[in-house]
Amino acid sequence: MRLDVVTIFPEYLEPLNVSLVGKARARGQLDVHVHDLRQWTYDRHNTVDDTPYGGGPGMVMKTEPWGEALDQTLADGYDAGAQGPVLVVPTPSGRPFTQELAVELSERPWLIFTPARYEGIDRRVMDEYATRMPVYEVSIGDYVLAGGEAAVLVITEAVARLLPGVLGNAESHRDDSFAPGAMANLLEGPVYTKPPVWRGHAIPEVLVSGHHGKIARWRRDEAFRRTAANRPDLIERCDPAAFDKKDRETLSILGWAPEPGGRFWRRVEGVEE
Ligand code: ADE
């Protein structure tokens, strides 16, 4: 997969040299190109922003540097044999970044990121490139960052670990929380490793029982417990067809009950465990 990032802070993308993404680059699984947007400015101050039409606070990133940067980036990529680019524009106004979108992006051969600073990029830039390629405006969460670079790091890491051969074990992402089609989209429960007792805290006995069925059941119950506590919305959204008899029992103990349509809703706040 080829990745291009156009930014006014190329050094912000240094973490792309480290860990999983760094190794994927070293192995040739990811071909990363970081570009300084100011290369495509021609005034003394390397201006990339200007005041917004219509007034209001802050500054807006100008069309011309982005246009030249993207034209050149596309031309270079095509020359190098890349194909099928998509533009990924991090913005708090974008669609939510989810595991499903990570999977979709991981299936594309070439991602071009345009992280913005200030109040964002002049709309006409996205409109122009949308005539030539898919444009994904993506938000990594309901909070506002000072710029899109951190979002590029987040999206890249989530996508890179899905590429064939990047994670040692191909099964590792099958059970991810949020994996499309995963256990009815429950959060993963807790995990333990040696030693069996640490500062008086013992691991749950079932995990050393050797009984695979019981272990699987325990893990699923823990997944329900954690999801009910941290993301009750995920349980409300679950298709109840995904629940077996024991799931229903566990949900009932956690204070959930089916409504007439079959979906589960929390009966009362904070009932007994
Ligand atoms: N830029 C600023 N805030 C952002 C967010 N939440 N997601 C993506 N890009 C952003």
Side-chain angles (χ1 to χ4, degrees):
M1 171 182 276
R2 179 175 169 122
L3 289 186
D4 284 277
V5 186
V6 183
T7 170
I8 58 169
F9 292 119
E11 63 277 24
Y12 207 120
L13 284 303
E14 281 293 315
L16 295 180
N17 292 316
V18 180
S19 184
L20 174 125
V21 174
K23 281 192 199 130
R25 285 178 85 167
R27 285 196 217 112
Q29 291 159 326
L30 261 187
D31 179 23
V32 180
H33 302 258
V34 178
H35 314 273
D36 186 345
L37 179 66
R38 293 197 202 271
Q39 269 182 259
W40 292 282
T41 57
Y42 305 99
D43 64 310
R44 227 160 29 97
H45 297 106
N46 300 114
T47 310
V48 292
D49 60 334
D50 205 338
T51 53
Y53 275 120
M59 300 291 272
V60 175
M61 295 191 96
K62 293 162 64 63
T63 49
E64 300 98 321
W66 280 112
E68 286 197 28
L70 290 172
D71 287 350
Q72 174 103 52
T73 299
L74 284 162
D76 290 352
Y78 283 123
D79 279 350
Q83 278 176 23
V86 304
L87 199 62
V88 183
V89 185
T91 160
S93 322
R95 62 194 269 198
F97 184 59
T98 59
Q99 188 66 19
E100 197 172 358
L101 186 48
V103 170
E104 189 175 327
L105 293 177
S106 75
E107 287 162 358
R108 306 289 312 208
W110 183 8
L111 308 180
I112 303 174
F113 290 98
T114 59
R117 292 268 144 178
Y118 317 110
E119 297 298 310
I121 302 172
D122 187 307
R123 182 76 230 162
R124 292 169 292 178
V125 174
M126 281 67 80
D127 293 345
E128 161 73 10
Y129 290 92
T131 66
R132 307 192 212 167
M133 67 191 76
V135 175
Y136 293 76
E137 292 182 80
V138 179
S139 166
I140 61 162
D142 291 345
Y143 40 77
V144 180
L145 302 166
E149 286 78 6
V152 172
L153 296 176
V154 167
I155 297 168
T156 300
E157 187 157 319
V159 168
R161 66 187 282 286
L162 297 173
L163 298 177
V166 167
L167 280 192
N169 176 359
E171 304 238 306
S172 319
H173 40 74
R174 195 199 52 201
D175 296 338
D176 287 347
S177 298
F178 315 116
M183 346 209 275
N185 277 318
L186 301 176
L187 303 183
E188 283 184 46
V191 293
Y192 301 88
T193 186
K194 289 171 271 302
V197 182
W198 178 72
R199 298 189 182 176
H201 303 270
I203 60 157
E205 207 135 297
V206 60
L207 296 179
V208 283
S209 67
H211 193 301
H212 297 302
K214 280 195 184 147
I215 293 172
R217 187 64 249 173
W218 180 85
R219 288 199 168 132
R220 191 157 167 89
D221 287 345
E222 289 301 308
F224 274 114
R225 200 183 303 282
R226 190 177 276 193
T227 310
N230 294 344
R231 292 294 305 277
D233 58 303
L234 292 180
I235 293 185
E236 285 163 12
R237 257 192 272 152
C238 273
D239 177 356
F243 299 147
D244 64 20
K245 187 155 165 277
K246 188 61 181 51
D247 292 343
R248 288 160 193 277
E249 262 171 57
T250 301
L251 279 171
S252 165
I253 292 166
L254 293 170
W256 294 69
E259 55 156 24
R263 283 188 193 271
F264 277 74
W265 296 89
R266 211 201 287 267
R267 280 196 310 261
V268 222
E269 282 299 311
V271 289
E272 78 289 353
E273 291 267 295

